């Protein structure tokens, strides 16, 4: 009798747990294809070329790998988690140095995120990301100049990586 009550309670708790667990749709994080993956189609061909050339130059001069990703939507995810999961899944940066940088731009949410590998945290600290965002990214994005904002932020990042690597 006691065993039967315990079994009923366990079944009731399991049923309740299953009911309370929200059904979450799995987010598929994008595969990056080169320096620029413009899934939201917001970067002009001219700026795509400029960004690609600058990222390649930075990589050759410092070994820092920069990837740019634009998406239509974060699919309900936070910019921080979306950038981190994409960064990890794609292995941005040299494995032994962990010196990658992902610049994520989400069109629908009007958000951006710089995801920096541990090897670059001293080179590109949070104290630098905020001014880059406030003075370069935000004003350009408000004007619809996504490529320009990304490119100009990368020029500043190039200066930081050249000085500190």
């Amino acid at each position: 009798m006691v065993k039967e009550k315990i079994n009923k309670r366990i079944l009731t708790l399991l049923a309740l747990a299953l009911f309370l667990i929200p059904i979450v749709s799995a987010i598929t994080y994008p595969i990056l294809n080169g320096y620029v993956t413009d899934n939201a189609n917001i970067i002009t061909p001219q700026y795509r070329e400029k960004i690609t050339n600058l990222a390649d130059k930075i990589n050759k001069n410092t070994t820092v790998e920069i990837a740019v990703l634009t998406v239509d939507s974060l699919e309900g995810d936070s910019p921080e988690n979306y950038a981190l999961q994409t960064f990890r899944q794609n292995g941005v940066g040299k494995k032994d140095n962990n010196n990658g940088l992902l610049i994520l731009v989400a069109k629908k949410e009007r958000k951006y995120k710089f995801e920096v590998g541990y090897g670059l945290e001293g080179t590109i600290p949070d104290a630098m990301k905020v001014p880059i965002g406030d003075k370069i990214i935000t004003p350009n994005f408000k004007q619809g100049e996504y490529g320009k904002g990304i490119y100009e932020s990368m020029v500043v990042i190039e200066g930081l990586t050249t000085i500190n690597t």
Side-chain angles (χ1 to χ4, degrees):
M1 179 96 142
V2 172
K3 191 175 183 181
E4 197 173 295
K5 280 186 174 183
I6 292 173
N7 285 340
K8 280 186 178 181
R9 285 188 178 170
I10 290 173
L11 286 174
T12 301
L13 288 174
L14 284 173
L16 183 61
L18 289 173
F19 178 75
L20 293 177
I21 295 173
I23 297 172
V24 179
S25 63
I27 296 173
T28 303
Y29 298 100
I31 302 297
L32 303 177
N33 51 27
Y35 293 117
V36 180
T37 306
D38 185 18
N39 291 342
N41 293 316
I42 57 175
I43 301 173
T44 65
Q46 295 82 6
Y47 271 107
R48 179 186 181 102
E49 183 177 350
K50 289 175 85 165
I51 292 166
T52 298
N53 291 339
L54 183 55
D56 188 52
K57 177 183 172 190
I58 292 168
N59 188 12
K60 286 178 180 169
N61 292 338
T62 67
T63 75
V64 170
E65 290 182 4
I66 299 176
V68 174
L69 170 64
T70 70
V71 294
D72 284 318
S73 171
L74 297 172
E75 301 176 46
D77 203 352
S78 70
E80 295 78 14
N81 189 59
Y82 198 97
L84 178 63
Q85 296 307 320
T86 303
F87 185 91
R88 287 181 176 166
Q89 175 183 301
N90 286 276
V92 179
K94 305 281 188 283
K95 193 171 191 170
D96 55 336
N97 295 337
N98 200 359
N99 63 345
L101 167 64
L102 173 66
I103 301 173
L104 168 69
V105 178
K107 183 179 175 183
K108 178 182 172 191
E109 292 83 358
R110 305 179 87 177
K111 301 277 184 186
Y112 67 90
K113 173 75 172 122
F114 292 95
E115 186 62 41
V116 178
Y118 291 121
L120 277 182
E121 284 183 345
T123 303
I124 308 171
D126 289 339
M128 285 305 302
K129 290 186 254 179
V130 172
I132 291 170
D134 289 348
K135 294 182 188 230
I136 299 171
I137 297 280
T138 300
N140 279 296
F141 284 14
K142 283 182 179 178
Q143 299 297 317
E145 296 284 347
Y146 296 99
K148 182 179 179 189
I150 293 166
Y151 176 77
E152 289 180 358
S153 68
M154 286 177 59
V155 169
V156 173
I157 290 164
E158 177 188 27
L160 295 172
T161 59
T162 303
I163 292 169
N164 295 309
T165 55

